[in-house]
Amino acid sequence: MLKNKNFVTAALCLLPQLFFAQYTDVINSNRPGETMSAYAVGKSVIQAELGVYGIKEKHNLLDYDANGFGTDLTIRYGAFLEKLELIADIQYQMENFDTPYTSYKKNNFRQTVLGAKYLIYDPYKNYKKEANIYSYKANRSFNWHELIPAVSLFAGANFVGKDNPYSFSPQSSISPKVMLITQNLFGGGKWVFVTNIIADYISTDYPSYGYVLTLTRGFNDKWSGFIENQGYKSDFYSDAIVRGGAAYLINPNLQVDASVSTNFKNTPSILYGGVGVSWRYDGRYKENQLQTKREDRAKKNKDNKMEQREIDYQAKERKRKSKYE
């Protein structure tokens, strides 16, 4: 639950007009925050988001210290429809525990989730803000349309192996996970606010319910920063996390990031720090775009030729009839 996934790039924040098409000119990453954005990567686009992080925990009541590291990998694929995204989310973690009496190690998959996300409402589809040519003030005023969020739904399943030390049960299990996602753009897209409402490990003895709120600011076409609040509650474990970090866009298909996470209690107190990279392959998407443009041009040329033949035919008919008048 405490993995360092990210959220958005600065350039994405500066390009809200492209959201209705899902695909953007620059990579749309969920790293390094914990929220899942409402928009998909685009049909036929494949994207990988990889991170490594360090862990430091201290539990005052159980009197243990834990140190270790982990890695997380998210694979996103735009499948079948522009609004649909298939997601594989995997996290592996290794820790050393020290107590006054013993030391031991714990390592396994902390999370394995497979699922799909679908955009059910996009406020920017078929929307265009009209400029007021008579009022500079009106053009600079707050755009109330920005209060309407994009809305997506995620549905998937957790896969837990037998004797997993990060699980509340020694038995293997498969349990549902669902999420409601909203996303708002403010300030012409320089600010992005994302919310995730999550129901996790449904149907198990310890279902978990939580939320994640992320606010991202694009500073320029390369840099962005974010702050985040995450909370979750179950009979097995509950916590509230704050997180912050930044992302840097190396090129339109490659982003690097760094983040830090902590909480405000000592049962246990936690400190996570991580770095990551996001990469996408959009060659097939661009090939499809070029093919579509070629087909459109061919159709337009064909229509123009048919129209010209009709004009030529009519001209010949007028000329023929004029001989008998």
Side-chain angles (χ1 to χ4, degrees), residues 261-296:
S261 308
T262 189
N263 65 351
F264 298 104
K265 68 177 188 176
N266 54 23
T267 55
S269 63
I270 65 169
L271 179 64
Y272 283 28
V275 296
V277 60
S278 301
W279 170 85
R280 76 172 178 181
Y281 174 73
D282 59 356
R284 290 182 59 192
Y285 186 90
K286 291 182 177 180
E287 288 174 4
N288 292 337
Q289 280 186 318
L290 291 174
Q291 180 63 27
T292 300
K293 289 180 180 178
R294 285 194 291 264
E295 292 174 353
D296 289 343

mmCIF file of all heavy atoms in Angstrom, residues 261-296:
data_model
loop_
_atom_site.group_PDB
_atom_site.id
_atom_site.type_symbol
_atom_site.label_atom_id
_atom_site.label_comp_id
_atom_site.label_asym_id
_atom_site.label_seq_id
_atom_site.Cartn_x
_atom_site.Cartn_y
_atom_site.Cartn_z
ATOM 1 N N SER A 261 8.047 9.770 1.751
ATOM 2 C CA SER A 261 6.770 9.528 2.439
ATOM 3 C C SER A 261 7.022 9.350 3.927
ATOM 4 O O SER A 261 8.037 8.777 4.337
ATOM 5 C CB SER A 261 6.095 8.258 1.895
ATOM 6 O OG SER A 261 5.991 8.278 0.499
ATOM 7 N N THR A 262 6.056 9.818 4.729
ATOM 8 C CA THR A 262 6.142 9.621 6.177
ATOM 9 C C THR A 262 4.743 9.641 6.769
ATOM 10 O O THR A 262 3.761 9.950 6.087
ATOM 11 C CB THR A 262 7.022 10.710 6.832
ATOM 12 O OG1 THR A 262 7.260 10.364 8.198
ATOM 13 C CG2 THR A 262 6.357 12.073 6.771
ATOM 14 N N ASN A 263 4.656 9.297 8.077
ATOM 15 C CA ASN A 263 3.382 9.356 8.786
ATOM 16 C C ASN A 263 3.575 10.098 10.100
ATOM 17 O O ASN A 263 4.645 10.659 10.362
ATOM 18 C CB ASN A 263 2.808 7.956 9.019
ATOM 19 C CG ASN A 263 3.686 7.133 9.936
ATOM 20 O OD1 ASN A 263 4.803 7.523 10.274
ATOM 21 N ND2 ASN A 263 3.183 5.981 10.357
ATOM 22 N N PHE A 264 2.527 10.098 10.946
ATOM 23 C CA PHE A 264 2.579 10.892 12.173
ATOM 24 C C PHE A 264 2.314 10.068 13.424
ATOM 25 O O PHE A 264 1.877 10.590 14.445
ATOM 26 C CB PHE A 264 1.560 12.041 12.102
ATOM 27 C CG PHE A 264 1.835 12.993 10.978
ATOM 28 C CD1 PHE A 264 1.074 12.960 9.824
ATOM 29 C CD2 PHE A 264 2.862 13.921 11.056
ATOM 30 C CE1 PHE A 264 1.325 13.833 8.781
ATOM 31 C CE2 PHE A 264 3.123 14.800 10.032
ATOM 32 C CZ PHE A 264 2.358 14.762 8.883
ATOM 33 N N LYS A 265 2.565 8.769 13.364
ATOM 34 C CA LYS A 265 2.389 7.938 14.548
ATOM 35 C C LYS A 265 3.644 7.103 14.757
ATOM 36 O O LYS A 265 4.557 7.091 13.914
ATOM 37 C CB LYS A 265 1.157 7.039 14.402
ATOM 38 C CG LYS A 265 1.269 5.958 13.347
ATOM 39 C CD LYS A 265 0.020 5.083 13.344
ATOM 40 C CE LYS A 265 0.177 3.871 12.446
ATOM 41 N NZ LYS A 265 -0.997 2.965 12.506
ATOM 42 N N ASN A 266 3.706 6.411 15.893
ATOM 43 C CA ASN A 266 4.904 5.624 16.200
ATOM 44 C C ASN A 266 4.604 4.138 16.372
ATOM 45 O O ASN A 266 5.351 3.421 17.023
ATOM 46 C CB ASN A 266 5.591 6.167 17.452
ATOM 47 C CG ASN A 266 4.659 6.264 18.642
ATOM 48 O OD1 ASN A 266 3.640 5.568 18.705
ATOM 49 N ND2 ASN A 266 4.993 7.125 19.590
ATOM 50 N N THR A 267 3.469 3.702 15.771
ATOM 51 C CA THR A 267 3.128 2.276 15.871
ATOM 52 C C THR A 267 2.799 1.681 14.492
ATOM 53 O O THR A 267 1.669 1.190 14.311
ATOM 54 C CB THR A 267 1.925 2.112 16.821
ATOM 55 O OG1 THR A 267 0.840 2.952 16.354
ATOM 56 C CG2 THR A 267 2.268 2.479 18.233
ATOM 57 N N PRO A 268 3.674 1.666 13.535
ATOM 58 C CA PRO A 268 5.037 2.191 13.613
ATOM 59 C C PRO A 268 5.151 3.588 12.998
ATOM 60 O O PRO A 268 4.248 4.032 12.292
ATOM 61 C CB PRO A 268 5.812 1.183 12.774
ATOM 62 C CG PRO A 268 4.831 0.854 11.664
ATOM 63 C CD PRO A 268 3.471 0.854 12.323
ATOM 64 N N SER A 269 6.297 4.235 13.223
ATOM 65 C CA SER A 269 6.659 5.416 12.440
ATOM 66 C C SER A 269 7.346 4.915 11.173
ATOM 67 O O SER A 269 8.068 3.925 11.198
ATOM 68 C CB SER A 269 7.602 6.316 13.228
ATOM 69 O OG SER A 269 8.822 5.641 13.508
ATOM 70 N N ILE A 270 7.095 5.585 10.065
ATOM 71 C CA ILE A 270 7.672 5.127 8.803
ATOM 72 C C ILE A 270 8.323 6.280 8.055
ATOM 73 O O ILE A 270 7.923 7.440 8.196
ATOM 74 C CB ILE A 270 6.614 4.466 7.894
ATOM 75 C CG1 ILE A 270 5.560 5.494 7.462
ATOM 76 C CG2 ILE A 270 5.973 3.282 8.567
ATOM 77 C CD1 ILE A 270 4.646 4.991 6.383
ATOM 78 N N LEU A 271 9.327 5.948 7.284
ATOM 79 C CA LEU A 271 9.969 6.900 6.392
ATOM 80 C C LEU A 271 10.388 6.142 5.146
ATOM 81 O O LEU A 271 11.183 5.203 5.225
ATOM 82 C CB LEU A 271 11.189 7.548 7.055
ATOM 83 C CG LEU A 271 11.956 8.555 6.184
ATOM 84 C CD1 LEU A 271 11.073 9.763 5.848
ATOM 85 C CD2 LEU A 271 13.229 9.008 6.888
ATOM 86 N N TYR A 272 9.810 6.534 4.017
ATOM 87 C CA TYR A 272 10.141 5.921 2.739
ATOM 88 C C TYR A 272 10.743 6.989 1.837
ATOM 89 O O TYR A 272 10.268 8.130 1.807
ATOM 90 C CB TYR A 272 8.892 5.376 2.030
ATOM 91 C CG TYR A 272 8.351 4.072 2.554
ATOM 92 C CD1 TYR A 272 8.520 3.683 3.874
ATOM 93 C CD2 TYR A 272 7.637 3.221 1.721
ATOM 94 C CE1 TYR A 272 8.007 2.493 4.347
ATOM 95 C CE2 TYR A 272 7.111 2.026 2.182
ATOM 96 C CZ TYR A 272 7.300 1.679 3.510
ATOM 97 O OH TYR A 272 6.779 0.493 3.967
ATOM 98 N N GLY A 273 11.750 6.643 1.060
ATOM 99 C CA GLY A 273 12.296 7.528 0.044
ATOM 100 C C GLY A 273 12.584 6.737 -1.206
ATOM 101 O O GLY A 273 13.122 5.614 -1.118
ATOM 102 N N GLY A 274 12.241 7.272 -2.365
ATOM 103 C CA GLY A 274 12.423 6.485 -3.578
ATOM 104 C C GLY A 274 12.691 7.322 -4.811
ATOM 105 O O GLY A 274 12.472 8.536 -4.831
ATOM 106 N N VAL A 275 13.189 6.658 -5.835
ATOM 107 C CA VAL A 275 13.400 7.263 -7.151
ATOM 108 C C VAL A 275 12.805 6.313 -8.181
ATOM 109 O O VAL A 275 12.622 5.114 -7.926
ATOM 110 C CB VAL A 275 14.893 7.517 -7.447
ATOM 111 C CG1 VAL A 275 15.467 8.530 -6.480
ATOM 112 C CG2 VAL A 275 15.687 6.209 -7.378
ATOM 113 N N GLY A 276 12.503 6.865 -9.352
ATOM 114 C CA GLY A 276 11.904 6.016 -10.365
ATOM 115 C C GLY A 276 12.020 6.598 -11.755
ATOM 116 O O GLY A 276 12.492 7.720 -11.958
ATOM 117 N N VAL A 277 11.565 5.802 -12.714
ATOM 118 C CA VAL A 277 11.598 6.200 -14.112
ATOM 119 C C VAL A 277 10.321 5.703 -14.789
ATOM 120 O O VAL A 277 9.798 4.635 -14.444
ATOM 121 C CB VAL A 277 12.846 5.632 -14.824
ATOM 122 C CG1 VAL A 277 12.857 4.111 -14.778
ATOM 123 C CG2 VAL A 277 12.942 6.124 -16.260
ATOM 124 N N SER A 278 9.823 6.477 -15.735
ATOM 125 C CA SER A 278 8.648 6.091 -16.513
ATOM 126 C C SER A 278 8.992 6.195 -17.995
ATOM 127 O O SER A 278 9.606 7.181 -18.428
ATOM 128 C CB SER A 278 7.459 7.014 -16.199
ATOM 129 O OG SER A 278 7.125 6.970 -14.831
ATOM 130 N N TRP A 279 8.591 5.178 -18.756
ATOM 131 C CA TRP A 279 8.907 5.132 -20.185
ATOM 132 C C TRP A 279 7.693 4.601 -20.933
ATOM 133 O O TRP A 279 6.967 3.739 -20.443
ATOM 134 C CB TRP A 279 10.102 4.210 -20.424
ATOM 135 C CG TRP A 279 10.363 3.910 -21.877
ATOM 136 C CD1 TRP A 279 11.073 4.652 -22.770
ATOM 137 C CD2 TRP A 279 9.891 2.767 -22.605
ATOM 138 N NE1 TRP A 279 11.083 4.056 -24.002
ATOM 139 C CE2 TRP A 279 10.361 2.876 -23.931
ATOM 140 C CE3 TRP A 279 9.113 1.652 -22.259
ATOM 141 C CZ2 TRP A 279 10.082 1.933 -24.914
ATOM 142 C CZ3 TRP A 279 8.842 0.709 -23.243
ATOM 143 C CH2 TRP A 279 9.327 0.853 -24.551
ATOM 144 N N ARG A 280 7.464 5.136 -22.128
ATOM 145 C CA ARG A 280 6.351 4.644 -22.934
ATOM 146 C C ARG A 280 6.785 4.410 -24.377
ATOM 147 O O ARG A 280 7.731 5.031 -24.879
ATOM 148 C CB ARG A 280 5.174 5.623 -22.921
ATOM 149 C CG ARG A 280 5.366 6.859 -23.780
ATOM 150 C CD ARG A 280 4.110 7.692 -23.878
ATOM 151 N NE ARG A 280 4.349 8.886 -24.681
ATOM 152 C CZ ARG A 280 3.435 9.819 -24.928
ATOM 153 N NH1 ARG A 280 2.216 9.709 -24.410
ATOM 154 N NH2 ARG A 280 3.724 10.863 -25.676
ATOM 155 N N TYR A 281 6.092 3.495 -25.026
ATOM 156 C CA TYR A 281 6.258 3.244 -26.453
ATOM 157 C C TYR A 281 4.947 3.589 -27.145
ATOM 158 O O TYR A 281 3.905 2.980 -26.866
ATOM 159 C CB TYR A 281 6.623 1.785 -26.708
ATOM 160 C CG TYR A 281 6.651 1.454 -28.180
ATOM 161 C CD1 TYR A 281 7.697 1.912 -28.984
ATOM 162 C CD2 TYR A 281 5.633 0.716 -28.768
ATOM 163 C CE1 TYR A 281 7.717 1.632 -30.341
ATOM 164 C CE2 TYR A 281 5.656 0.425 -30.127
ATOM 165 C CZ TYR A 281 6.697 0.894 -30.902
ATOM 166 O OH TYR A 281 6.715 0.631 -32.248
ATOM 167 N N ASP A 282 5.002 4.587 -28.035
ATOM 168 C CA ASP A 282 3.798 5.043 -28.720
ATOM 169 C C ASP A 282 3.925 4.928 -30.230
ATOM 170 O O ASP A 282 3.200 5.594 -30.972
ATOM 171 C CB ASP A 282 3.484 6.491 -28.331
ATOM 172 C CG ASP A 282 4.625 7.442 -28.666
ATOM 173 O OD1 ASP A 282 5.684 6.968 -29.128
ATOM 174 O OD2 ASP A 282 4.458 8.667 -28.473
ATOM 175 N N GLY A 283 4.849 4.064 -30.701
ATOM 176 C CA GLY A 283 5.060 3.925 -32.136
ATOM 177 C C GLY A 283 3.827 3.466 -32.881
ATOM 178 O O GLY A 283 3.500 3.987 -33.952
ATOM 179 N N ARG A 284 3.131 2.489 -32.328
ATOM 180 C CA ARG A 284 1.922 1.983 -32.999
ATOM 181 C C ARG A 284 0.835 3.028 -33.032
ATOM 182 O O ARG A 284 0.083 3.122 -34.007
ATOM 183 C CB ARG A 284 1.419 0.722 -32.286
ATOM 184 C CG ARG A 284 2.323 -0.489 -32.459
ATOM 185 C CD ARG A 284 1.739 -1.698 -31.766
ATOM 186 N NE ARG A 284 0.427 -2.023 -32.285
ATOM 187 C CZ ARG A 284 -0.410 -2.898 -31.707
ATOM 188 N NH1 ARG A 284 -0.037 -3.510 -30.589
ATOM 189 N NH2 ARG A 284 -1.582 -3.161 -32.232
ATOM 190 N N TYR A 285 0.753 3.822 -31.963
ATOM 191 C CA TYR A 285 -0.262 4.882 -31.932
ATOM 192 C C TYR A 285 0.005 5.891 -33.057
ATOM 193 O O TYR A 285 -0.907 6.299 -33.770
ATOM 194 C CB TYR A 285 -0.240 5.587 -30.574
ATOM 195 C CG TYR A 285 -1.346 6.604 -30.394
ATOM 196 C CD1 TYR A 285 -2.570 6.230 -29.848
ATOM 197 C CD2 TYR A 285 -1.178 7.925 -30.773
ATOM 198 C CE1 TYR A 285 -3.595 7.147 -29.689
ATOM 199 C CE2 TYR A 285 -2.194 8.851 -30.619
ATOM 200 C CZ TYR A 285 -3.399 8.465 -30.067
ATOM 201 O OH TYR A 285 -4.406 9.388 -29.930
ATOM 202 N N LYS A 286 1.281 6.297 -33.206
ATOM 203 C CA LYS A 286 1.621 7.270 -34.246
ATOM 204 C C LYS A 286 1.438 6.684 -35.639
ATOM 205 O O LYS A 286 1.018 7.374 -36.567
ATOM 206 C CB LYS A 286 3.054 7.746 -34.044
ATOM 207 C CG LYS A 286 3.227 8.610 -32.804
ATOM 208 C CD LYS A 286 4.649 9.106 -32.650
ATOM 209 C CE LYS A 286 4.764 10.034 -31.440
ATOM 210 N NZ LYS A 286 6.148 10.529 -31.260
ATOM 211 N N GLU A 287 1.757 5.378 -35.777
ATOM 212 C CA GLU A 287 1.525 4.724 -37.064
ATOM 213 C C GLU A 287 0.038 4.739 -37.419
ATOM 214 O O GLU A 287 -0.341 4.990 -38.561
ATOM 215 C CB GLU A 287 2.031 3.291 -37.012
ATOM 216 C CG GLU A 287 3.552 3.171 -36.999
ATOM 217 C CD GLU A 287 4.010 1.745 -36.811
ATOM 218 O OE1 GLU A 287 3.134 0.853 -36.779
ATOM 219 O OE2 GLU A 287 5.223 1.516 -36.688
ATOM 220 N N ASN A 288 -0.797 4.469 -36.423
ATOM 221 C CA ASN A 288 -2.246 4.496 -36.658
ATOM 222 C C ASN A 288 -2.716 5.895 -37.015
ATOM 223 O O ASN A 288 -3.598 6.075 -37.857
ATOM 224 C CB ASN A 288 -2.986 3.989 -35.421
ATOM 225 C CG ASN A 288 -2.754 2.515 -35.169
ATOM 226 O OD1 ASN A 288 -2.413 1.770 -36.082
ATOM 227 N ND2 ASN A 288 -2.929 2.080 -33.927
ATOM 228 N N GLN A 289 -2.126 6.919 -36.338
ATOM 229 C CA GLN A 289 -2.477 8.293 -36.659
ATOM 230 C C GLN A 289 -2.119 8.620 -38.110
ATOM 231 O O GLN A 289 -2.912 9.225 -38.832
ATOM 232 C CB GLN A 289 -1.751 9.253 -35.719
ATOM 233 C CG GLN A 289 -2.379 9.396 -34.348
ATOM 234 C CD GLN A 289 -1.682 10.476 -33.542
ATOM 235 O OE1 GLN A 289 -0.469 10.590 -33.538
ATOM 236 N NE2 GLN A 289 -2.472 11.273 -32.860
ATOM 237 N N LEU A 290 -0.893 8.229 -38.526
ATOM 238 C CA LEU A 290 -0.460 8.511 -39.895
ATOM 239 C C LEU A 290 -1.338 7.778 -40.906
ATOM 240 O O LEU A 290 -1.693 8.329 -41.948
ATOM 241 C CB LEU A 290 1.000 8.095 -40.069
ATOM 242 C CG LEU A 290 2.034 8.947 -39.320
ATOM 243 C CD1 LEU A 290 3.424 8.331 -39.461
ATOM 244 C CD2 LEU A 290 2.034 10.379 -39.841
ATOM 245 N N GLN A 291 -1.689 6.518 -40.594
ATOM 246 C CA GLN A 291 -2.546 5.754 -41.483
ATOM 247 C C GLN A 291 -3.908 6.411 -41.614
ATOM 248 O O GLN A 291 -4.468 6.511 -42.714
ATOM 249 C CB GLN A 291 -2.696 4.322 -40.967
ATOM 250 C CG GLN A 291 -3.590 3.428 -41.828
ATOM 251 C CD GLN A 291 -3.033 3.218 -43.219
ATOM 252 O OE1 GLN A 291 -1.833 3.286 -43.432
ATOM 253 N NE2 GLN A 291 -3.911 2.981 -44.178
ATOM 254 N N THR A 292 -4.458 6.890 -40.486
ATOM 255 C CA THR A 292 -5.750 7.563 -40.512
ATOM 256 C C THR A 292 -5.684 8.845 -41.338
ATOM 257 O O THR A 292 -6.587 9.153 -42.126
ATOM 258 C CB THR A 292 -6.204 7.897 -39.085
ATOM 259 O OG1 THR A 292 -6.327 6.695 -38.344
ATOM 260 C CG2 THR A 292 -7.554 8.611 -39.093
ATOM 261 N N LYS A 293 -4.588 9.606 -41.181
ATOM 262 C CA LYS A 293 -4.427 10.840 -41.958
ATOM 263 C C LYS A 293 -4.316 10.540 -43.447
ATOM 264 O O LYS A 293 -4.878 11.252 -44.278
ATOM 265 C CB LYS A 293 -3.190 11.601 -41.466
ATOM 266 C CG LYS A 293 -3.351 12.229 -40.094
ATOM 267 C CD LYS A 293 -2.087 12.959 -39.667
ATOM 268 C CE LYS A 293 -2.265 13.588 -38.295
ATOM 269 N NZ LYS A 293 -1.025 14.276 -37.840
ATOM 270 N N ARG A 294 -3.561 9.473 -43.783
ATOM 271 C CA ARG A 294 -3.440 9.100 -45.191
ATOM 272 C C ARG A 294 -4.790 8.697 -45.774
ATOM 273 O O ARG A 294 -5.137 9.077 -46.905
ATOM 274 C CB ARG A 294 -2.439 7.959 -45.340
ATOM 275 C CG ARG A 294 -0.987 8.388 -45.197
ATOM 276 C CD ARG A 294 -0.042 7.306 -45.698
ATOM 277 N NE ARG A 294 -0.065 6.152 -44.819
ATOM 278 C CZ ARG A 294 0.802 5.938 -43.842
ATOM 279 N NH1 ARG A 294 1.751 6.823 -43.604
ATOM 280 N NH2 ARG A 294 0.728 4.856 -43.102
ATOM 281 N N GLU A 295 -5.566 7.930 -44.990
ATOM 282 C CA GLU A 295 -6.892 7.527 -45.456
ATOM 283 C C GLU A 295 -7.808 8.726 -45.620
ATOM 284 O O GLU A 295 -8.588 8.802 -46.579
ATOM 285 C CB GLU A 295 -7.490 6.520 -44.484
ATOM 286 C CG GLU A 295 -6.777 5.173 -44.478
ATOM 287 C CD GLU A 295 -7.305 4.247 -43.407
ATOM 288 O OE1 GLU A 295 -8.138 4.701 -42.585
ATOM 289 O OE2 GLU A 295 -6.882 3.069 -43.370
ATOM 290 N N ASP A 296 -7.721 9.688 -44.686
ATOM 291 C CA ASP A 296 -8.540 10.894 -44.787
ATOM 292 C C ASP A 296 -8.162 11.705 -46.019
ATOM 293 O O ASP A 296 -9.042 12.228 -46.723
ATOM 294 C CB ASP A 296 -8.380 11.753 -43.522
ATOM 295 C CG ASP A 296 -9.035 11.128 -42.311
ATOM 296 O OD1 ASP A 296 -9.866 10.218 -42.502
ATOM 297 O OD2 ASP A 296 -8.709 11.537 -41.172
#
